[in-house]
Amino acid sequence: MTPADWQLQNIWLGLGITIAVFSMYYAVALFNNKKTANATDLYLAGRSIGPVVNSLAASSTWMSVATFLGVVALIQQLHLPFVYMWVQLILSVPLLVMLYGASLYRMEVFTSVHFVQTRYGRNTAFLAAAWMLLIMLMYMVGQFIGIAKVFEVLLGLPYTPSLILSALVITGYITIGGMKGATYNDAIQMVIMMIALIVPLAAILKAMGVPGFWFPPLGYGSLTDTLLERIPTFFDLKFEARFYLALFVALTIGTLGLPQLAQRVLTSENIKSARKVVPWFCLWVGLMFLGTYALGFAGVYHFALIGQELTPEAADKTTLLLNLAYNPDWVSAFVIAGVLAAGVSTIAGLMIGVATVVGHDIVGVLRPHLSEKKQLRYGYFALAGTGVVSLLVSLDPPAFLITSIFWAFGMCATAITPMVVLGVWSTRINVWGAFTGSLVSGVLYILLSPYVLPGLSVGTGLVAKLGFATSLISVPAGFILTILVSLLAERLKGDEAAQERGRAQELVEKMHGWAHVTRTRYDSSPWLLILAAMWVPILLWGLLPW
């Protein structure tokens, strides 16, 4: 395949399907805009979403364009066994619901930053809000890059015009619809994604002569012998064990703090409904993740057979190139709609997260007497402003679009997850420990990132460039500092720390649903010290030269 073949030949067909899909998104957004009467409607869809729709919306938000394009590109380029990654990613929402989703729901908070404000006070909440905005911005950058690359294939435009066009279209419909519009659109987009991945992949595998083409997630197995003749090392582990441990630390622990997933739990009708989201989520995400790996495998097989190597930038288009090679234009056009759905759904969740942090967690705290109507206005401004900032940052993209997303996961695992999870399960964690742990570990993560101070980055070559290896140092540091500084502050702060502990005892027991507060249920310190000690060898291992 030459670059001339990397574009949809019938542009009008692709435009027609894309315009039809986006018209549907705008219609849903406009319909639900009329139902957005207050902040709860804008940010949490009025807490009215059932488990099946919510599971589809959560899955859609989670999949992102990184699944359709970025991970397929890494499989294509690095021949990594990413089935390992899927297992830990599927763990994320069950863990989120079990570890703190139900507790935050009982508190009736809007976001994890709102929880931080209630648990630790406004200064720590402002720090958490700053980290959240940075995390969501970097996560969103990867989505905009991927969607721009789709528009390149669709319209044959250069990268920058494609980026500007996609950013304007997407920001518009999300700003109109709010969380309720985004939720129903996300559910629709998940259905489109599943069809656009699984059905065309079945056709590709059938064209390759695969007997099990009828179930693409596992049907590619008959290709392995042929592929191993050409690439004998495909299934070998390419990096040392620390690379895979860092991937687990960044992605699984990082997911627990991601705002767009936490908000999906909080949009549920009740806690029982939120728990029912979990099995449905695992089913949808499991099918998509297995299908994505099969697609990546098919991409490696195809380009190995024709003896063509792709650049990292071209590898991001593997999903589209495979369909252009094996399927008719109308199928490729529908796949493009699926990829757009993947990116748009994640951007929707992130933008709603940004609007909530700005409108509710920052403006609402600084100006608590502001009317709900004006808070809504700030939220809408934040939605639109986020699209503009993401557009500007995306103008100079990294080689792999998934790099900024990996970086965001690592930052979330470092600066957000420790203070949230520990704050839910221990009354001994206080404002001094949470603030210090988050600030120091977050700054450490940034300084050790390969794009800030390359001489200090963790690992070398591709390990460093992917951005998440730093989490093997910063995440243990975040947990250890949060725990030890909290316990030390109890000794140094005296009465002030005692009052803080008493308030935490009442708050934590109530958020777990206890009617009678004993002040002893979550007040033990030995398990905190054991947890801190468990992180020490991981920290030391991460500090060793890679």
Side-chain angles (χ1 to χ4, degrees), residues 43-113:
Y43 302 134
L44 296 181
R47 298 186 188 272
S48 61
I49 308 300
V52 176
V53 172
N54 224 357
S55 67
L56 285 167
S59 304
S60 180
T61 301
W62 189 203
M63 295 312 296
S64 89
V65 76
T67 306
F68 256 93
L69 301 183
V71 171
V72 173
L74 286 185
I75 297 171
Q76 166 68 40
Q77 290 280 288
L78 309 180
H79 306 159
L80 286 176
F82 267 93
V83 169
Y84 157 83
M85 191 172 97
W86 299 152
V87 173
Q88 64 195 24
L89 291 178
I90 291 174
L91 286 173
S92 56
V93 163
L95 284 173
L96 190 155
V97 172
M98 288 188 293
L99 289 177
Y100 72 86
S103 301
L104 267 60
Y105 193 97
R106 290 190 189 96
M107 290 178 68
E108 297 186 348
V109 297
F110 282 57
T111 63
S112 48
V113 175

Side-chain angles (χ1 to χ4, degrees), residues 320-334:
L320 307 174
L321 300 182
L322 267 181
N323 279 279
L324 289 172
Y326 288 96
N327 286 326
D329 271 4
W330 69 269
V331 175
S332 299
F334 187 71

Side-chain angles (χ1 to χ4, degrees), residues 464-522:
K465 289 180 180 178
L466 286 176
F468 62 82
T470 307
S471 61
L472 214 54
I473 296 173
S474 59
V475 174
F479 275 95
I480 292 168
L481 281 171
T482 301
I483 291 169
L484 297 185
V485 173
S486 291
L487 297 179
L488 181 62
E490 287 184 351
R491 294 179 176 271
L492 298 179
K493 293 291 184 177
D495 291 341
E496 188 179 359
Q499 291 176 4
E500 165 85 8
R501 183 174 170 184
R503 191 180 68 84
Q505 287 168 339
E506 186 169 345
L507 179 66
V508 170
E509 291 198 26
K510 284 185 177 179
M511 78 171 71
H512 283 283
W514 297 101
H516 175 64
V517 177
T518 65
R519 299 185 181 276
T520 59
R521 290 188 179 98
Y522 305 94

Side-chain angles (χ1 to χ4, degrees), residues 190-500:
M190 187 60 192
V191 175
I192 291 173
M193 274 190 273
M194 285 192 286
I195 296 172
L197 176 71
I198 301 297
V199 176
L201 178 56
I204 291 170
L205 293 178
K206 184 179 181 181
M208 289 179 170
V210 176
F213 71 89
W214 55 272
F215 187 62
L218 298 177
Y220 65 91
S222 60
L223 299 176
T224 54
D225 291 340
T226 305
L227 181 65
L228 288 174
E229 290 175 7
R230 292 178 177 268
I231 308 175
T233 61
F234 180 82
F235 290 106
D236 294 349
L237 295 179
K238 307 297 189 301
F239 304 100
E240 63 169 287
R242 279 185 293 184
F243 175 88
Y244 301 99
L245 179 60
L247 196 65
F248 176 83
V249 169
L251 297 188
T252 305
I253 298 178
T255 302
L256 296 179
L258 283 181
Q260 72 268 32
L261 280 182
Q263 277 186 274
R264 289 299 174 201
V265 174
L266 301 177
T267 60
S268 297
E269 297 168 310
N270 48 53
I271 294 173
K272 185 178 180 180
S273 176
R275 291 193 176 112
K276 288 181 179 178
V277 168
V278 172
W280 287 108
F281 172 88
C282 292
L283 173 63
W284 310 136
V285 173
L287 283 173
M288 287 295 291
F289 280 164
L290 287 170
T292 303
Y293 186 78
L295 186 64
F297 187 93
V300 174
Y301 181 85
H302 169 72
F303 286 103
L305 283 184
I306 65 175
Q308 184 173 358
E309 291 187 11
L310 298 178
T311 64
E313 291 81 4
D316 279 331
K317 301 176 183 177
T318 299
T319 300
L320 307 174
L321 300 182
L322 267 181
N323 279 279
L324 289 172
Y326 288 96
N327 286 326
D329 271 4
W330 69 269
V331 175
S332 299
F334 187 71
V335 172
I336 285 175
V339 177
L340 289 173
V344 168
S345 59
T346 301
I347 291 172
L350 291 166
M351 281 190 169
I352 294 294
V354 169
T356 312
V357 168
V358 173
H360 183 271
D361 298 332
I362 296 178
V363 175
V365 172
L366 290 175
R367 301 179 66 182
H369 302 298
L370 202 65
S371 68
E372 199 166 61
K373 185 177 180 180
K374 288 185 177 179
Q375 279 194 32
L376 276 174
R377 190 179 304 160
Y378 278 108
Y380 280 120
F381 285 148
L383 277 174
T386 303
V388 175
V389 174
S390 299
L391 165 63
L392 295 174
V393 176
S394 303
L395 288 172
D396 185 20
F400 288 111
L401 67 86
I402 203 169
T403 301
S404 64
I405 298 170
F406 276 154
W407 192 92
F409 274 112
M411 173 57 86
C412 203
T414 297
I416 300 296
T417 301
M419 72 161 85
V420 172
V421 174
L422 292 175
V424 167
W425 289 98
S426 176
T427 59
R428 306 296 292 275
I429 302 300
N430 52 46
V431 58
W432 301 283
F435 189 90
T436 304
S438 180
L439 178 64
V440 175
S441 62
V443 171
L444 180 66
Y445 185 80
I446 292 173
L447 291 178
L448 292 178
S449 297
Y451 303 101
V452 179
L453 296 173
L456 287 177
S457 63
V458 178
T460 57
L462 184 69
V463 170
K465 289 180 180 178
L466 286 176
F468 62 82
T470 307
S471 61
L472 214 54
I473 296 173
S474 59
V475 174
F479 275 95
I480 292 168
L481 281 171
T482 301
I483 291 169
L484 297 185
V485 173
S486 291
L487 297 179
L488 181 62
E490 287 184 351
R491 294 179 176 271
L492 298 179
K493 293 291 184 177
D495 291 341
E496 188 179 359
Q499 291 176 4
E500 165 85 8

